Amino acid sequence: MSVSQLSVEQLRQQIRNNDYKGSTSGLAQSYLQANLVILPKDWANEFLLFCQRNPVACPLIGMTEPGSKSLQEIGIDIDISRDVPEYHVFRNGEFENSVYDLTEIWRDDFVVFVLGCSFSFEDALMQAGLKVRNIEEGCNVSMYDTQLACHSAGRFHGNMVVSMRPFTPSDAIRAVQVTTRFPKAHGAPIHFGDPLSIGISDITTPSYGDAVEIKHDEVPVFWACGVTPQNVIRHSKPPICITHAPGKMLITDRLNNELSFM
Amino acid sequence: MSVSQLSVEQLRQQIRNNDYKGSTSGLAQSYLQANLVILPKDWANEFLLFCQRNPVACPLIGMTEPGSKSLQEIGIDIDISRDVPEYHVFRNGEFENSVYDLTEIWRDDFVVFVLGCSFSFEDALMQAGLKVRNIEEGCNVSMYDTQLACHSAGRFHGNMVVSMRPFTPSDAIRAVQVTTRFPKAHGAPIHFGDPLSIGISDITTPSYGDAVEIKHDEVPVFWACGVTPQNVIRHSKPPICITHAPGKMLITDRLNNELSFM
């Protein structure tokens, strides 16, 4: 059975067993996928403030008690330390390595932040009859570092990361309408058109994820992206921080449409 | 007292007395302004169907009984035959002349169609903190013939006319959100960016209204326009048709926000 046909429970089981380590884009459709940031307790309150000040890039869905690997808001049987296909470990702001299970490096002072993800609105875009290029091409979404500064909070500061999907202008207008309904999944786009005006010098070379085709009658449309914290962590240098690998999300038991306000 | 400071009743009185014959853009803010199409009874049902099939360009607010100069939906004391600053008379599809009062040419078989107008959402755009260029420049909005075909209905067929307002991409995204709330005032834009792709060869020369500045970091954003019927009438050649002059609307007693669904 293709991974795209698995139920949310089956897919998460495969991920937990390290049988699936790929992108979760287009998988477990209609289920809320989430960005993950794990920090030591003494960095957590500042990151909470960072989320509050940057709600479009960092739409906070939930935050654990120190040491807890579970969070009622996203599902009962989820083990945050094992249920992501690939984790990135950063030490002092530097990427150290990828791991597929956090059991061995888990600490009692870890606090987990679960943030909304644009994959939620991709589901809504497709339900509205729009084609999402990265899903059509079966690859990870294109993500870019920008020159758009986030609002700082304590030791956390840095620039926004964006995801990009190409659309014709009329489909882009429809995409604004659809994604506006999902403020907890980054909401409406933050930019369209000229990449350079937000500091992207080469649209064909994403900073993260895969490149996708942009057709001659299409414009790139940019949404704030949950990879933003990873960029901020590089600047802010906490002794340890663990995130999901870009495009490889935590799949929750909640429905995307639970995040919609209409 | 400047015309922009007049109450809706004062302004309509000036118009009725032919003391004001100009554009109503930016006037009587917060009051619903409307496009007008007047046709003989034997053309009315086909135009009603045309509106039903083209609700974005022709958002129907009300339709009179034959011969009636008033319409409960838009206000009690409005005389449709006198309360528009300038009317355009078309005979057999050809523009014949401008008049400022319809009393002398009124017929008992005239049916009036009152259609929503983008001026309604200009008010909402400004309330949302956006600058509307034509109001900033104190001129009429830019309007263009396009190559976008309307859906035909009986003898009515032709292309859509659009209005254009320039915005930065992020303001354009906000403008999509704001105008989406006003389906009876043309709703969301139908296009942004490249004018040629909808058949506009020279953005600096509007087909109707005035040219406005488009700054280097802005894109033109296009909405369906209530001047569309005037273009359709040229093709469809009813023996007589009367419309408002572009940009010179019927100001009603209803509030723009009564048209908003949120």
Side-chain angles (χ1 to χ4, degrees), chain B residues 10 27 29 44 48 50 110 119 125 129 134 140 164 169-170 179 186 190 194 197 201 203 220 222 228 231-232 260:
Chain B
Q10 291 170 321
L27 302 185
Q29 277 175 28
L48 178 60
F50 185 83
F110 276 174
F119 291 178
L125 290 170
N134 47 292
N140 199 346
M164 186 282 289
S170 60
T179 59
H186 306 300
I190 55 101
D194 182 21
S197 70
S201 55
I203 194 75
F222 300 94
T228 300
N231 191 43
V232 167
S260 166

Side-chain angles (χ1 to χ4, degrees), chain A residues 167-170 172-174 176-177 180 188-194 197 219 221-222 261-262, chain B residues 167-170 172-174 176-177 180 188-194 197 219 221-222 261-262:
Chain A
F167 289 104
T168 62
S170 59
I173 290 164
R174 187 79 187 109
V176 171
Q177 294 177 314
T180 293
I190 55 100
H191 183 61
F192 63 77
D194 181 23
S197 70
V219 293
V221 183
F222 300 94
F261 69 79
M262 273 181 77
Chain B
F167 289 106
T168 62
S170 60
I173 290 164
R174 186 80 186 108
V176 171
Q177 295 177 313
T180 291
I190 55 101
H191 183 63
F192 62 76
D194 182 21
S197 70
V219 292
V221 183
F222 300 94
F261 70 81
M262 274 182 75

Side-chain angles (χ1 to χ4, degrees), chain A residues 92-206:
Chain A
N92 302 311
E94 299 292 322
F95 172 73
E96 188 177 74
N97 63 325
S98 278
V99 297
Y100 304 97
D101 189 314
L102 299 179
T103 307
E104 292 190 4
I105 60 172
W106 189 260
R107 288 171 23 178
D108 284 345
D109 69 340
F110 276 173
V111 175
V112 182
F113 294 84
V114 176
L115 307 173
C117 164
S118 59
F119 290 178
S120 293
F121 68 62
E122 289 185 343
D123 184 43
L125 290 170
M126 290 184 291
Q127 283 181 38
L130 298 178
K131 306 260 194 242
V132 177
R133 183 64 36 79
N134 47 292
I135 292 179
E136 282 187 299
E137 295 187 1
C139 66
N140 200 347
V141 69
S142 309
M143 293 166 273
Y144 303 85
D145 291 320
T146 73
Q147 295 296 324
L148 300 167
C150 293
H151 298 283
S152 301
R155 290 164 283 184
F156 290 103
H157 58 95
N159 290 339
M160 188 187 293
V161 176
V162 294
S163 65
M164 185 283 289
R165 293 159 192 82
F167 289 104
T168 62
S170 59
D171 282 353
I173 290 164
R174 187 79 187 109
V176 171
Q177 294 177 314
V178 171
T179 59
T180 293
R181 296 195 285 115
F182 293 88
K184 282 287 186 186
H186 305 301
I190 55 100
H191 183 61
F192 63 77
D194 181 23
L196 200 56
S197 70
I198 58 171
I200 299 171
S201 55
D202 180 7
I203 194 74
T204 67
T205 310

Side-chain angles (χ1 to χ4, degrees), chain B residues 35-55 57-63 111-115 150-157 225-234 236 238 241-244:
Chain B
N35 297 287
L36 212 65
V37 175
I38 304 175
L39 284 163
K41 182 171 181 283
D42 63 327
W43 286 70
N45 283 341
E46 288 173 36
F47 190 74
L48 178 60
L49 186 61
F50 185 83
C51 292
Q52 190 278 325
R53 289 186 176 160
N54 298 279
C58 301
L60 189 60
I61 288 173
M63 174 183 172
V111 174
V112 182
F113 293 85
V114 176
L115 306 172
C150 293
H151 298 284
S152 301
R155 289 164 284 186
F156 290 103
H157 58 96
C225 177
V227 175
T228 300
Q230 304 188 23
N231 191 43
V232 167
I233 284 153
R234 276 201 290 271
S236 310
C241 177
I242 300 164
T243 72
H244 67 290

